[in-house]
Amino acid sequence: MTLARTWAVALTGLEGDLVEVEADLSNQTPDFHIIGLPDKSLGEAVQRIHNASANCGLELPRRRLTVNLSPASLPKHGSSFDVAIAIAALATQNALDLVSIAETVHIGELGLDGRLRPVPGVLPAVLAAARMGMRRVVVPHANEAEARLVEGIEVIGAVALGDVARRHGARIDDRDLDPVPLPRGVEVVVPIPELAEVIGQRDAVEALIAAAAGGHHLLMSGPPGAGKTMLAARLPGILPPLDDAAALEVASIRSLCGDPVDTLTRRPPLESPHHSASIAALVGGGSRVVRPGAIARATHGVLFLDEVGEFAPSVLDALRQPLEKGRIAIHRAGVTASFPASFQLILATNPCPCGNYGVRAASCVCPPMAIRRYLGRLSGPLLDRVDIELGLTRVSVAHAASIGADAVTTDAAAARVADARARAAFRLRETEWSVNARVSGPWLREGPLALAPVVRRPIDVALHRGALTLRGYDRVLRVAWTLCDLAGRVSPTVHDIGRALFMKKGITT
């Protein structure tokens, strides 16, 4: 038998495609060719496979060997195809179980000594294999715990190429090799910050709870020291824990970024990129392999942009499409990668470059043009996608000393958020949405739960005067429903509409 087949997985973003690895021998001058749109690292696999096979006591055929990666039109990147190519090549001449090989997906990079080295993206690759009906996968020993997070597929962790060949029936001597460990830094467990530590900002805390309850985007504006960063850091602690599907998606993104993944983390992620971050760092990119950016890493969690006035306007405007679509598509020559982008956006800004504009007993040294330029980086279309705009002031020492006994704890806030989300999920049980921030505007305005004109009057007037766009109108309605859920009411009242309008535009009714 001179033809052997097995399987590998090609990742494009978080999406994976099965790749059939075919190896065939011909009676020509000994050579080893890989075809099927491989990249440079895949072309270098030939030498890695030669050395790994020899060092594991396995013999490659001494004839012309051609390995085809099908479908040929799909770009293949990275070294994770090494094991599949090696097993298919060895099976053309050695006594391996061709049926077993054809039913197995092989993932991993080969070292010159034959050991299987860990690769990024094992979790999404195994997920893709399981979705496409495969029932067995071989991965490097270091990635075994990560691969076992996927249910319904047999995971085999292999230390060396010889272990994989013996699994498929090869009769070779057992060589004692230590597994290649995952590269790890110092793992620091960050405790959940306590919301009760925020003092003197009761309105801000209530706005944060409303944002968590409805999944709303939030803008905080205030001088340095007002507590903007402190509040943002406490938002993930009051959000509901991730369910299985969300935790698996978050773990898949971490795996694709090369982070070690052993367990499913239930805490929503918090991403806070520096204000010097580029568009590619925020949305993702890459010349050969498209990697997720901060937007994708914040999926099912919080994207916090501190000192947002220091970000480049083009970087901030790149947020607009993900905020509306809930996904980010990155287009490169010959490939389009799509990543989830369902996150809560928290923006924090000073009122001016020096931070003292409008602050009592403080002197602002910024010229008017600098203030306008600083605040002008937040474009109107981006602000229109923010549900709650919150102004903060500094807390005096006397005020701080007098507050604390009635402070809202993280556990109490999380319980209120969970109860409000349960109410929203029950109300929306027959729709495609589960949180208020995701409900479509037409359904809110004209659907079965449309509010009476007398209740909508404050925002109808604001829309008529031009103080609100139609998108802003819908966002006020969503916040009003969240306030209603937090209060335990069946339907929003005029008070809820008025309060939501004030939280959006500072307009009183």
Side-chain angles (χ1 to χ4, degrees):
M1 182 67 182
T2 62
L3 181 65
R5 293 186 176 90
T6 188
W7 298 92
V9 177
L11 288 175
T12 306
L14 274 190
E15 302 299 322
D17 294 286
L18 278 180
V19 173
E20 187 176 21
V21 181
E22 303 173 294
D24 187 37
L25 289 178
S26 58
N27 294 319
Q28 299 179 27
T29 304
D31 204 352
F32 193 155
H33 279 285
I34 300 176
I35 60 175
L37 215 57
D39 70 347
K40 183 175 177 57
S41 62
L42 255 174
E44 294 171 345
V46 172
Q47 193 58 54
R48 289 195 297 271
I49 292 169
H50 269 295
N51 288 64
S53 300
N55 289 323
C56 287
L58 296 162
E59 185 178 356
L60 284 170
R62 297 182 180 272
R63 295 157 63 186
R64 184 179 180 88
L65 179 62
T66 303
V67 175
N68 179 43
L69 307 178
S70 179
S73 60
L74 180 70
K76 291 90 179 175
H77 305 285
S79 57
S80 62
F81 292 84
D82 284 6
V83 179
I85 295 173
I87 289 297
L90 291 167
T92 58
Q93 178 171 287
N94 294 270
L96 300 185
D97 186 344
L98 297 180
V99 175
S100 174
I101 291 172
E103 294 177 346
T104 305
V105 176
H106 296 87
I107 301 169
E109 176 186 333
L110 287 175
L112 296 183
D113 58 358
R115 291 187 296 176
L116 270 63
R117 297 185 174 275
V119 291
V122 166
L123 182 56
V126 176
L127 272 171
R131 291 193 190 106
M132 296 180 191
M134 302 304 293
R135 290 293 172 260
R136 186 189 306 122
V137 61
V138 172
V139 299
H141 183 273
N143 294 123
E144 183 176 357
E146 176 181 339
R148 290 191 183 281
L149 296 176
V150 181
E151 297 180 352
I153 189 168
E154 179 188 357
V155 175
I156 300 169
V159 173
L161 180 60
D163 299 336
V164 184
R166 277 190 295 274
R167 173 70 65 168
H168 296 304
R171 296 180 179 179
I172 57 173
D173 295 335
D174 189 6
R175 301 196 176 192
D176 189 15
L177 293 174
D178 295 328
V180 179
L182 276 173
R184 290 183 181 273
V186 178
E187 189 170 350
V188 179
V189 179
V190 180
I192 298 176
E194 178 52 59
L195 188 61
E197 295 173 357
V198 179
I199 55 177
Q201 297 285 12
R202 186 58 185 264
D203 290 342
V205 169
E206 289 299 316
L208 192 74
I209 293 173
H216 303 294
H217 307 307
L218 172 66
L219 167 65
M220 295 182 287
S221 176
K228 303 184 295 294
T229 304
M230 192 176 186
L231 283 162
R234 280 148 181 78
L235 178 57
I238 65 176
L239 291 174
L242 301 178
D243 59 22
D244 290 343
L248 202 57
E249 193 166 51
V250 170
S252 296
I253 294 172
R254 288 171 50 210
S255 172
L256 204 58
C257 293
D259 297 338
V261 178
D262 296 327
T263 59
L264 293 182
T265 302
R266 301 292 175 173
R267 187 193 302 186
L270 171 64
E271 285 291 323
S272 182
H274 192 261
H275 60 74
S276 62
S278 64
I279 293 180
L282 197 65
V283 304
S287 57
R288 293 187 299 108
V289 181
V290 181
R291 296 299 185 195
I295 286 176
R297 293 195 301 272
T299 293
H300 302 300
V302 178
L303 178 65
F304 175 45
L305 303 186
D306 200 3
E307 305 295 346
V308 69
E310 302 291 345
F311 280 79
S314 58
V315 173
L316 296 177
D317 286 339
L319 293 168
R320 286 154 53 178
Q321 183 187 15
L323 288 175
E324 287 294 316
K325 303 290 187 180
R327 295 195 69 83
I328 178 73
I330 302 171
H331 299 267
R332 293 293 181 267
V335 64
T336 299
S338 178
F339 296 101
S342 178
F343 58 88
Q344 274 188 259
L345 178 64
I346 306 297
L347 306 174
T349 182
N350 294 327
C352 68
C354 78
N356 291 324
Y357 179 70
V359 179
R360 183 183 303 174
S363 176
C364 176
V365 297
C366 303
M369 181 62 69
I371 297 175
R372 287 196 296 270
R373 187 184 305 114
Y374 186 80
L375 297 178
R377 295 195 177 188
L378 286 170
S379 66
L382 178 60
L383 286 177
D384 208 28
R385 289 167 169 82
V386 174
D387 302 316
I388 301 173
E389 299 179 23
L390 179 64
L392 283 81
T393 58
R394 288 174 180 156
V395 180
S396 66
V397 175
H399 192 200
S402 64
I403 302 292
D406 59 344
V408 180
T409 65
T410 295
D411 290 343
R416 290 178 59 192
V417 169
D419 182 65
R421 288 214 175 191
R423 288 176 176 274
F426 180 78
R427 181 176 64 252
L428 302 170
R429 63 191 181 277
E430 296 181 358
T431 69
E432 60 183 288
W433 312 290
S434 59
V435 293
N436 293 323
R438 299 282 180 261
V439 181
S440 75
W443 193 86
L444 279 174
R445 287 180 265 113
E446 304 164 7
L449 298 180
L451 302 180
V454 66
V455 177
R456 298 196 317 263
R457 178 174 173 76
I459 48 175
D460 287 339
V461 172
L463 181 65
H464 178 72
R465 292 176 177 174
L468 277 179
T469 64
L470 188 59
R471 182 187 287 120
Y473 183 101
D474 294 336
R475 294 193 178 279
V476 172
L477 278 178
R478 296 182 184 114
V479 175
W481 274 105
T482 297
L483 296 175
C484 165
D485 291 331
L486 284 169
R489 289 189 284 270
V490 176
S491 181
T493 63
V494 176
H495 173 74
D496 293 325
I497 294 290
R499 188 176 167 205
L501 184 59
F502 179 77
M503 294 170 76
K504 172 62 180 172
K505 301 296 290 186
I507 301 174
T508 57
T509 58

